[in-house]
Amino acid sequence: MVRLTTIATCQLNQWAMDFEGNAQRIIESIELAKAAGATLRVGPELEITGYGCLDHFLEIDLYTHSWEMIGMIIADDRCQDILLDLGAPVMHKQVRLNCRVLCLNRQILLIRPKLWLANDGNYREMRYFTPWPARQHEVFYLPEAISNIHGQFTCTIGDAVIATRDTSFAPETCEELFTPHGPHIDQSLDGVEIFTNSSGSHHSLRKLKTRLDLIIEATKKSGGVYCYANQSGMDGDRLLYDGCALVVINGEIKAQGKQFSLDDVQVCCATVNLEIVRSFRSSSSRGLQAVQSRCYKRIDVPYNLSKKGFLFHDDAKLSPTIEPRYHSPTEEIGLGAGAYLWDYLRRSKQSGFFIPLSGGIDSCATSVIIYAMCRMVLEAIKEGNNQVVADARRICGEPEESTWLPSSEKELCGRIFHTCFMGTSNSSKETRERAKSLAEAIGAYHTDLNIDTVVSALTTLFTTITRFTPRFRAHGGSTTENLALQNIQARLRMVTAYMFAQLLPTIRGRLGGGNLLVLGSANVDECLRGYLTKYDCSSADINPIGGISKTDLKAFIAHAGAAYGLPILSSFLSAVPTAELEPITPDYVQSDEVDMGMTYAELSEFGLLRKVARLGPLGMWEHLVGKWGAGGVAGLALTPRQVYDKVRWFYSCFNNNRHKMTVMTPALHMESYSPDDNRFDLRPFVYPVFTWPYKKIEIALAALEARRGPSKT
């Protein structure tokens, strides 16, 4: 016997607090689902409001407007004759809940609150919502926005299952999949055949495989159809939601959406045979567990998910099994950051981007990400994405009646991307030439200038007032003087950048003038170490690489050189990273890693152990003695005391510079050890010296050296 069912799961580029826009995108997805023959449509978590409303979830108005949007959707003639799984915040007995709202033909069938809330990393759901107790259900009194539509006044709210005439399905929400005992386990034992998971899962490098493995595993043992929906795009803050909607049956992928796309609405459909689920679950061991499982409350719905006579339609074809699609981390950087920046640009209604281009690898990588974004925009235009066409024309200042389309990514880049080399007497000819050549290669509008006169004016003012002339270390000055003279160059570049960003569109004759978004380019390792000047060019509107390690950025540049046809990028990879803020002498050229006292590879290791492994100084030292010591996997053969010196120096730098993270430019989250102080990595910014952990290490060192002999430092 065959029972074919077509299911649609969606990835929508929702925008926090854009009630009407979000509702229209939901309606569009429902139309696309119906056109594909689907009888069930599943949407992302909190799709009515957008996932990233943050403290707006504390406002009563938001819950009123959510019901008004749900009412508008379910009353729309285009949204009938299909079972809808919508995501919305709901207030019940003055308790705020993160809910799935299940609807059919202008009726609310069930409100299913989230049982397990995400409350770590970037997630703070417990700040806004209360988790619902498993298996509990009660009566919910519907607001007028719903009761006025069809005279329905109540429905069930709670942990329950929808039972149609031919099958049963139950919702799961995001975090519940990631818990050790997800609801789908007990639901499957109670005979539920279709599971929906509506998610607000953000992108991190290398995260997708973990997510897909969990989704596949959810039905690999228990059987069933698993429909995963996710938000996509940037909905108003530091996160990029990366879509990748999925339909899986018995551990086999039948449909997978794009991970990175400029489409606001994507619907991922699959036709599956429910009898395959029933056959898969025929083992005796499963039966023994199933008869002992507790029953869920079932909401009976007179509706078939498998269409009558569907078997005999010419288009009634089972979806084939496909292999999961993954991007490499280097591809993720270009595509993920590119998609995020396009959303940021079009939603902020600015005229383009501006970056101080230093000739180093960080500003180079940021610029290449903009070029990758332009490639994505051009591809979307060629595919006929009318929204992208309209956004591109508006951003470029085209008049309303314009039919202009960019002929290449370089042409688009030249219209919206502005680079500027701000040199001083400490800048080298090589960095200046690299910056110019990169701008030419990607088509950016480039400016080359020197800021020595501005630096001189400020230092002259200081000397006139104080009668003290600060000197670089190379000229006999102290460390304090040396840093002050470096910092003033860096800070003046930030001020200059904002002036150019505000006026360049007017100078270039853009219709209506406009402003440019200033891009920062401090990588995650430099933020962690504090190797940047407060209020220098790290201060910007957005930092696309603030969540990416130096190691990954280098790999991205190597990839982009070949993939994007940019041979100039090889010169950036071979160049020594340098701030070029000190005078170059025959005996001295400034180097980032020398200045930091540690390598970028070491910084990545420290970052992972501090944040991901959750180790303090003692635990970090113990781990690295095994890894970096003689016979360790890293092959470094460092003594325990040398490892201690490195760990202590890292924590000294981290503690002394943590205050800089309190004012850092918002960075796109892409790395699991990001030091972002906004909500991902909450730490003090005034630290004591870690005397007690260091004493514990020194006691252990003394015992080690007593057995082995003294370590060489």
Side-chain angles (χ1 to χ4, degrees), residues 141-373:
Y141 292 88
L142 292 163
E144 287 186 0
I146 303 301
S147 59
N148 287 343
I149 294 173
H150 209 48
Q152 181 186 6
F153 296 97
T154 64
C155 69
T156 298
I157 184 171
D159 185 16
V161 169
I162 298 291
T164 64
R165 287 173 174 168
D166 54 349
T167 186
S168 59
F169 87 90
E172 211 171 45
T173 307
C174 198
E175 178 73 8
E176 293 169 358
L177 169 69
F178 292 81
T179 58
H181 192 90
H184 64 269
I185 297 173
D186 290 332
Q187 290 165 352
S188 70
L189 291 173
D190 194 33
V192 173
E193 294 178 333
I194 300 173
F195 313 99
T196 64
N197 185 302
S198 303
S199 188
S201 185
H202 66 75
H203 170 252
S204 290
L205 292 175
R206 305 171 181 87
K207 176 184 174 183
L208 180 61
K209 188 177 187 306
T210 300
R211 188 196 304 159
L212 261 60
D213 286 348
L214 286 169
I215 295 170
I216 293 168
E217 186 64 28
T219 61
K220 206 168 188 177
K221 286 195 300 184
S222 303
V225 181
Y226 204 96
C227 310
Y228 175 82
N230 193 19
Q231 188 161 310
S232 65
M234 174 261 197
D235 80 339
D237 69 355
R238 293 162 167 81
L239 304 180
L240 172 75
Y241 301 92
D242 59 346
C244 206
L246 214 65
V247 179
V248 177
I249 181 169
N250 299 345
E252 296 182 351
I253 299 175
K254 298 297 179 178
Q256 179 180 344
K258 292 181 180 179
Q259 186 178 12
F260 306 110
S261 172
L262 302 188
D263 294 333
D264 284 345
V265 177
Q266 294 181 72
V267 177
C268 184
C269 295
T271 299
V272 297
N273 181 9
L274 295 180
E275 293 296 337
I276 299 297
V277 175
R278 294 157 192 172
S279 175
F280 187 89
R281 291 177 172 177
S282 61
S283 69
S284 300
S285 57
R286 182 208 172 263
L288 288 169
Q289 292 188 351
V291 296
Q292 299 178 56
S293 67
R294 291 174 56 198
C295 292
Y296 281 83
K297 175 181 174 59
R298 275 169 159 71
I299 309 295
D300 293 322
V301 179
Y303 179 74
N304 287 339
L305 284 180
S306 52
K307 290 185 177 179
K308 185 177 181 181
F310 194 41
L311 255 181
F312 306 104
H313 290 189
D314 291 337
D315 58 354
K317 296 178 181 177
L318 279 171
S319 297
T321 299
I322 61 174
E323 292 298 316
R325 298 188 300 270
Y326 305 106
H327 291 290
S328 68
T330 52
E331 292 172 330
E332 287 185 278
I333 290 171
L335 295 172
Y340 177 90
L341 288 171
W342 181 248
D343 273 352
Y344 193 122
L345 179 59
R346 69 189 182 111
R347 287 177 167 171
S348 65
K349 294 183 170 56
Q350 300 303 297
S351 307
F353 295 106
F354 178 94
I355 189 170
L357 189 56
S358 68
I361 202 162
D362 292 331
S363 60
C364 165
T366 306
S367 300
V368 175
I369 286 171
I370 297 294
Y371 187 68
M373 179 199 78

Side-chain angles (χ1 to χ4, degrees), residues 99-135:
C99 293
R100 306 306 305 166
V101 181
L102 308 180
C103 321
L104 176 66
N105 293 336
R106 297 184 172 90
Q107 294 284 314
I108 307 295
L109 306 176
L110 170 68
I111 300 172
R112 198 280 197 176
K114 192 171 182 179
L115 310 183
W116 307 107
L117 300 178
N119 210 56
D120 55 7
N122 283 303
Y123 296 102
R124 292 288 181 274
E125 291 183 10
M126 290 285 283
R127 181 181 176 94
Y128 320 117
F129 304 116
T130 299
W132 186 267
R135 309 295 181 109

Side-chain angles (χ1 to χ4, degrees), residues 48-64:
I48 296 291
T49 58
Y51 184 84
C53 293
L54 303 175
D55 278 5
H56 287 294
F57 283 125
L58 303 177
E59 299 167 1
I60 300 296
D61 287 5
L62 178 137
Y63 296 85
T64 301

Side-chain angles (χ1 to χ4, degrees), residues 423-425 449-461 492 496:
T424 69
S425 57
L449 57 88
N450 287 317
I451 61 170
D452 285 322
T453 54
V454 187
V455 174
S456 177
L458 198 56
T459 53
T460 299
L461 172 66
L492 285 172
T496 306

